[in-house]
Amino acid sequence: MIQIKKTDIHKILVLIRANFENAYNFKTDEEATLLIEFWYDSLKDYPKELVFAAVKSAIQASEFAPKISTVLAEVKKLTEANKKTDVELWSELEDTFYPVYRATLYLRYDQYHKRASDKIKQIYEKLSDEIKLYVVNASTLKELAELANRSDDDSIKYEKARFLKLMPELRAKQASRAEAKQFLQLCEANGINLIGGKSDAD
């Protein structure tokens, strides 16, 4: 997966200018540099292919030259189209319960403990990032697997309901953190000190 580069941002702006007369015609090189920096800071965490697809979609759907907010909205739309539903994520998680539980049975034996522990960690590492918002570490995965394999207990049903309820909240918190991080990076790139305005370097 190739991340977007500053040179790609220049190509994007040229593409927009080619489709919308008088779009992004800069009076100075400084204006062009500032806009490229701003677009790059906003898009640098996304794959190049995704960004160009979003720009193409924004151009096709707009009567006017798309702004960064329009492109970001298209990026979000394309990203979410490929995301699994919470039910699908739970199913993915559920598929790990039996192999993890089988591994836990060997933890009690000294000669097998390390191998079993490594197996559980490997299964955890292969989980999608979204599931890891809920299952924060291998120990939690182990606890869930043990819970799921109690034949006389309905606790896993309540765990599933809890998972489906909390996943939207966890996603929202993750998105907020990402936006805050992006904002701080943008401020830093433009020499802005949030407490005192412009940095002392200015």
Side-chain angles (χ1 to χ4, degrees):
M1 204 164 50
I2 303 173
Q3 298 301 109
I4 200 83
K5 297 176 182 177
K6 285 185 182 178
T7 51
D8 295 318
I9 301 299
H10 178 73
K11 291 176 184 175
I12 287 169
L13 295 178
V14 170
L15 180 63
I16 292 173
R17 276 206 306 265
N19 283 275
F20 298 93
E21 191 178 352
N22 298 321
Y24 301 120
N25 287 325
F26 306 108
K27 294 179 181 178
T28 65
D29 289 341
E30 185 180 9
E31 284 182 3
T33 300
L34 283 172
L35 188 69
I36 288 171
E37 285 287 346
F38 181 74
W39 277 57
Y40 175 70
D41 283 331
S42 301
L43 297 167
K44 65 183 178 183
D45 294 327
Y46 299 108
K48 175 180 176 178
E49 186 178 347
L50 176 65
V51 172
F52 272 89
V55 170
K56 181 180 178 182
S57 180
I59 289 173
Q60 291 173 339
S62 301
E63 291 184 27
F64 305 99
K67 297 180 179 179
I68 187 63
S69 58
T70 308
V71 174
L72 286 170
E74 289 295 330
V75 166
K76 184 178 180 181
K77 196 185 299 180
L78 291 171
T79 302
E80 290 180 349
N82 294 322
K83 280 187 178 179
K84 293 181 180 178
T85 66
D86 292 340
V87 172
E88 288 172 328
L89 289 173
W90 174 261
S91 180
E92 181 183 327
L93 175 59
E94 204 171 28
D95 286 343
T96 69
F97 290 161
Y98 184 69
V100 169
Y101 177 71
R102 288 278 298 167
T104 64
L105 298 178
Y106 290 90
L107 292 174
R108 68 188 77 174
Y109 305 107
D110 290 343
Q111 66 268 40
Y112 300 122
H113 187 279
K114 185 179 186 308
R115 187 186 300 174
S117 181
D118 288 345
K119 177 69 174 175
I120 294 169
K121 288 177 183 174
Q122 287 170 6
I123 293 172
Y124 171 78
E125 289 302 325
K126 289 180 180 178
L127 291 174
S128 67
D129 290 339
E130 284 184 295
I131 292 176
K132 286 179 183 176
L133 293 173
Y134 186 83
V135 184
V136 293
N137 52 42
S139 295
T140 304
L141 180 60
K142 175 176 163 287
E143 291 170 9
L144 289 171
E146 290 172 339
L147 196 67
N149 282 277
R150 291 178 189 165
S151 58
D152 59 343
D153 197 340
D154 285 338
S155 297
I156 199 64
K157 293 180 182 177
Y158 298 108
E159 194 67 36
K160 178 181 179 180
R162 185 170 177 266
F163 177 91
L164 296 176
K165 179 182 177 183
L166 286 180
M167 279 307 297
E169 296 176 25
L170 293 173
R171 275 204 199 93
K173 286 180 182 178
Q174 184 190 41
S176 294
R177 284 195 294 268
E179 287 172 6
K181 181 181 177 183
Q182 193 176 65
F183 175 70
L184 291 172
Q185 288 173 340
L186 188 58
C187 288
E188 184 180 341
N190 288 285
I192 298 172
N193 183 323
L194 292 179
I195 296 175
K198 281 284 185 180
S199 66
D200 295 336
D202 295 333

